[in-house]
Amino acid sequence: MSNPLLIELRERCEAQMVLSVCNGCSECFIKCSAGVPATREEWETLQNHIAELSDEARDALKRVLAQPKEVDLGDGFTATLCRFLERDSKRCMVYSARPLVCRLMGHVEWLPCPIEKVPHVVATPNALALMQEYAKEERKTLEEWQQDSPFFE
């Protein structure tokens, strides 16, 4: 990110996160829905990540992108999962390059860990300041970015 204040706020928040509790856990997968916002820089990071994948990993990603993403939540409610979520393993195919909103999952007050595994959340004033600065950036959903610039042709 080229915005120095955004970088500083992100680093401040990330320093407060206990990410080790997320290793091997996929319990927040149901919150991984379509429509995730990303900045242009996050989109470019994601594109670079995908471009660097091995042929095998790219083929796996293509299979995941082709999976149906609708999930029945019961009582007539459905949700559309994130395009990068592998349905069977409940794992993110681009975890290391995921956007900020995904990185905050479970670590901020308004996106709590669904199994209460995260020992403490980022201080709300820091998280809010980060999101206010983030909101100043050009953002589109991952689906909108991909429509403008597909991964695979």
Side-chain angles (χ1 to χ4, degrees):
M1 297 179 187
S2 53
N3 176 335
L5 180 55
L6 185 58
I7 292 168
E8 177 190 332
L9 290 166
R10 188 193 69 214
E11 289 173 354
R12 185 181 310 158
C13 288
E14 287 176 349
Q16 296 173 53
M17 294 179 180
V18 181
L19 295 173
S20 60
V21 299
C22 299
N23 293 342
C25 184
S26 61
E27 293 301 318
C28 63
F29 86 94
I30 198 65
K31 294 186 178 201
C32 298
S33 63
V36 171
T39 64
R40 176 177 303 281
E41 197 160 338
E42 289 173 320
W43 178 250
E44 290 169 359
T45 297
L46 195 56
Q47 286 182 305
N48 291 338
H49 172 76
I50 290 169
E52 293 172 359
L53 293 174
S54 67
D55 289 342
E56 183 179 323
R58 287 173 65 84
D59 289 342
L61 178 58
K62 287 178 185 178
R63 286 191 297 278
V64 166
L65 292 173
Q67 288 178 331
K69 298 301 178 180
E70 295 293 318
V71 63
D72 183 357
L73 301 175
D75 292 336
F77 293 101
T78 61
T80 304
L81 298 173
C82 177
R83 64 192 317 102
F84 298 109
L85 183 70
E86 202 288 317
R87 296 239 359 214
D88 296 329
S89 69
K90 301 177 177 99
R91 298 282 184 201
C92 177
M93 296 295 290
V94 294
Y95 189 80
S96 64
R98 68 198 186 283
L100 176 66
V101 172
C102 302
R103 291 176 185 279
L104 292 177
M105 181 67 65
H107 297 277
V108 292
E109 178 182 342
W110 60 90
L111 296 171
C113 174
I115 60 171
E116 300 177 3
K117 194 173 177 183
V118 175
H120 66 273
V121 295
V122 173
T124 299
N126 289 336
L128 287 176
L130 172 61
M131 293 311 295
Q132 288 168 341
E133 196 62 28
Y134 184 76
K136 295 176 185 177
E137 300 289 312
E138 175 191 14
R139 290 168 291 131
K140 294 183 185 180
T141 66
L142 294 176
E143 293 81 8
E144 290 169 332
W145 283 118
Q146 188 168 12
Q147 189 174 28
D148 294 345
S149 177
F151 295 121
F152 310 109
E153 303 200 41

